[in-house]
Amino acid sequence: MSSEAQTSAEYIHHHLQNLTFGHLSNGTWGVAHSAEEAKEMGFWALNLDTFIMSFLLGAIFLIIFRRVAVNIVSGTPSGLQNFCEWAIEFVDSSVRGSFTSKNNMVAPMALTIFFWVLAMNLMDLIPIDYVPHLMGALGVPFFKVVPSTDPNATFGMAIGVFLLVLYYSVKMKGFGGFVGELTLQPFGKWGLPVNLLLEGVNLIAKPISLALRLFGNMYAGEMIFILIALMGGAWAGFSAGNATLYGSQIILSLGWAIFHILIVTLQAFIFMTLTIVYMDMAHQEHH
Amino acid sequence: MNINATLLAQTIMFALFVWFCMKFVWTPIVGALDARKKQIADGLAEAERAKHDLELAAKRSAEILREAKEKAGDIVANSEKRASEIVEEAKTQAKVEGGRIVAGAKAEIDQEVFRAKEHLRTQVSAIALEGASKILGREIDAKAHSDLLDKLVTEI
């Protein structure tokens, strides 16, 4: 727990609050120092922690791969190049497995999604108090280190994918074809309103499920870490009960972290695979 | 946990990352992978060809070896024949030479015998003449009796 004066609820709220930069109610631009202030900023505010962390992680991923790409040899690969080649072949085989049309953008996008999401998710394994405390010492009121627990990040990516789905749907089938797909099936032209409702929900569900699945998993994982951390945080003098709680926190957070490695990787993989599948559906003609 | 402009920022960031990855990461790495794939395929094809060549070469070398053996056999047989011929020739030559030497020796002997006979004959005629003169007790006029002597010599 960050300080003795905090209650459990305050602790949890503190951990779940993004560092939001926006227009403060007193008329100046600055960082919100409470959840209420952040809320008052409305839409035109930026979650600095999400933005900085996701940018850094994405940049690290791209810099590593870019360095390999610059120094690449077609002869015997070594070390990092080996890893990058394995990653690329893994993504490429996933794309080949699910994506049947020809589009040079899908595979690099899948690679970016997988490693970016993986890196963002992996931040969850940093002990949850380290970064907020460090940032608190530096005078920063909040810092959520896991960008994928911010719906802005997951929805941001999902909207990017959704826009591409729309773009390729229209490009591949023509505007008429796309509208026809939304309105003329499954019940033919006399069931048009029902068709539109069903297909519209179907379409909108794609980005929402994509974003919420990742957000939900990571948010829940983070939440469990916070709750486990509360056990040791209940420390109030040495007693058998407190010692047990403290020990339980260590063991439980270790166990949850190990289990979370699976979730972290799985969610990155699911996001990538679903993106490939949605892109494939956008390229397919329905009959 | 408010939805705010971060959403747009993240979407733009996502698009930029994808663009960068596609342009500067995926293309060169996949290019290198394809190059290696081609290299390996070429290498395998090369190995196949080399194997084929090796087989051909082995066949050819066996052929050459066989020919060489044949040739060597021929040469040996020829040389053996030639050797026996030479020996045969030498034998006949030696025989001829021997015959010639024997004949020469024989001729020389005959000549020697003839010469000895001749010598003997003149000596005998001289002895006979001496004897006759002793018997007659006087000198035979060699000149007057030369035809008689010659007759005697030829008779002897």
Side-chain angles (χ1 to χ4, degrees), chain A residues 43 45-47 51 54-55 58 62 65-66 69 72-75 81 85 88 92 105 107-108 112-113 116 152-153 155-157 219, chain B residues 1-11 13-14 16-18 20-26 28-30 32-33 35-37 39:
Chain A
F43 183 78
L46 192 64
N47 290 346
F51 185 78
S54 58
F55 181 78
L62 286 175
F65 272 70
R66 176 64 190 158
I72 194 151
V73 286
S74 61
Q81 187 186 335
E85 283 181 8
I88 281 189
D92 201 38
M105 203 204 65
T112 311
I113 287 176
W116 198 25
N152 287 302
F155 270 104
M157 257 193 294
Y219 190 78
Chain B
M1 237 184 59
N2 315 307
I3 292 292
N4 55 29
T6 317
L7 189 71
L8 302 179
Q10 294 293 93
T11 306
M13 199 193 292
F14 172 64
L16 287 177
F17 280 165
V18 169
F20 185 91
C21 180
M22 181 168 84
K23 195 107 181 163
F24 299 108
V25 172
W26 188 269
I29 293 182
V30 165
L33 290 183
R36 184 181 311 140
K37 237 174 247 168
Q39 213 172 321

Side-chain angles (χ1 to χ4, degrees), chain A residues 68-143:
Chain A
V68 167
V70 169
N71 301 319
I72 194 151
V73 286
S74 61
T76 315
S78 59
L80 197 58
Q81 187 186 335
N82 226 339
F83 168 74
C84 291
E85 283 181 8
W86 166 79
I88 281 189
E89 274 175 354
F90 157 70
V91 171
D92 201 38
S93 66
S94 291
V95 172
R96 272 173 217 280
S98 322
F99 188 76
T100 46
S101 311
K102 195 170 156 40
N103 189 334
N104 288 335
M105 203 204 65
V106 173
M109 178 164 75
L111 181 76
T112 311
I113 287 176
F114 181 74
F115 278 98
W116 198 25
V117 172
L118 182 68
M120 292 196 291
N121 290 356
L122 277 174
M123 292 303 106
D124 219 357
L125 297 178
I126 296 176
I128 54 161
D129 278 334
Y130 280 21
V131 179
H133 270 204
L134 181 71
M135 287 299 170
L138 293 174
V140 179
F142 308 104
F143 205 88

Side-chain angles (χ1 to χ4, degrees), chain B residues 17-148:
Chain B
F17 280 165
V18 169
W19 170 79
F20 185 91
C21 180
M22 181 168 84
K23 195 107 181 163
F24 299 108
V25 172
W26 188 269
T27 313
I29 293 182
V30 165
L33 290 183
D34 285 349
R36 184 181 311 140
K37 237 174 247 168
K38 197 179 164 299
Q39 213 172 321
I40 290 170
D42 287 355
L44 287 177
E46 194 70 29
E48 198 61 34
R49 199 161 42 238
K51 209 168 133 195
H52 188 66
D53 286 355
L54 189 69
E55 257 166 39
L56 278 183
K59 224 177 265 175
R60 254 182 62 81
S61 74
E63 184 88 356
I64 288 170
L65 201 66
R66 204 175 51 73
E67 265 171 29
K69 261 185 194 156
E70 234 164 55
K71 221 177 243 173
D74 282 0
I75 288 168
V76 168
N78 276 345
S79 62
E80 262 167 13
K81 214 170 85 188
R82 180 93 190 93
S84 64
E85 263 175 23
I86 287 169
V87 168
E88 221 38 55
E89 230 166 68
K91 262 185 198 163
T92 50
Q93 222 165 27
K95 242 179 221 166
V96 168
E97 189 74 5
R100 213 165 45 83
I101 289 167
V102 169
K106 224 178 221 167
E108 211 163 299
I109 290 166
D110 284 351
Q111 215 174 357
E112 208 61 36
V113 168
F114 179 71
R115 208 179 297 151
K117 265 183 185 167
E118 202 66 15
H119 192 64
L120 204 61
R121 196 183 289 156
T122 45
Q123 271 185 352
V124 165
S125 68
I127 292 165
L129 208 57
E130 192 92 5
S133 66
K134 280 221 177 111
I135 293 164
L136 291 174
R138 56 171 174 113
E139 236 4 271
I140 296 170
D141 188 1
K143 242 181 215 158
H145 303 288
S146 67
D147 45 323
L148 192 76

Side-chain angles (χ1 to χ4, degrees), chain A residues 29-237:
Chain A
W29 289 85
V31 168
H33 281 77
S34 70
E36 289 72 35
E37 271 183 15
K39 206 156 228 154
E40 278 168 15
M41 285 173 179
F43 183 78
W44 293 109
L46 192 64
N47 290 346
L48 286 178
D49 47 3
T50 303
F51 185 78
I52 291 169
M53 283 311 290
S54 58
F55 181 78
L56 276 181
L57 294 167
I60 288 169
F61 150 67
L62 286 175
I63 286 168
I64 290 173
F65 272 70
R66 176 64 190 158
R67 266 186 48 195
V68 167
V70 169
N71 301 319
I72 194 151
V73 286
S74 61
T76 315
S78 59
L80 197 58
Q81 187 186 335
N82 226 339
F83 168 74
C84 291
E85 283 181 8
W86 166 79
I88 281 189
E89 274 175 354
F90 157 70
V91 171
D92 201 38
S93 66
S94 291
V95 172
R96 272 173 217 280
S98 322
F99 188 76
T100 46
S101 311
K102 195 170 156 40
N103 189 334
N104 288 335
M105 203 204 65
V106 173
M109 178 164 75
L111 181 76
T112 311
I113 287 176
F114 181 74
F115 278 98
W116 198 25
V117 172
L118 182 68
M120 292 196 291
N121 290 356
L122 277 174
M123 292 303 106
D124 219 357
L125 297 178
I126 296 176
I128 54 161
D129 278 334
Y130 280 21
V131 179
H133 270 204
L134 181 71
M135 287 299 170
L138 293 174
V140 179
F142 308 104
F143 205 88
K144 258 174 94 176
V145 77
V146 193
S148 46
T149 55
D150 182 354
N152 287 302
T154 61
F155 270 104
M157 257 193 294
I159 286 172
V161 172
F162 184 59
L163 291 177
L164 286 170
V165 165
L166 290 181
Y167 172 74
Y168 281 108
S169 292
V170 172
K171 192 183 169 191
M172 287 303 179
K173 301 159 193 166
F175 189 72
F178 180 54
V179 171
E181 197 179 281
L182 282 180
T183 51
L184 297 178
Q185 57 168 2
F187 296 122
K189 58 183 171 182
W190 299 114
L192 198 143
V194 184
N195 292 341
L196 188 60
L197 184 70
L198 284 174
E199 289 294 319
V201 167
N202 196 2
L203 189 68
I204 297 298
K206 285 174 186 171
I208 292 179
S209 69
L210 205 55
L212 283 184
R213 182 180 299 106
L214 178 60
F215 165 70
N217 272 284
M218 297 322 293
Y219 190 78
E222 176 86 343
M223 198 65 169
I224 289 174
F225 273 122
I226 293 170
L227 294 177
I228 290 171
L230 280 175
M231 297 172 81
W235 186 269

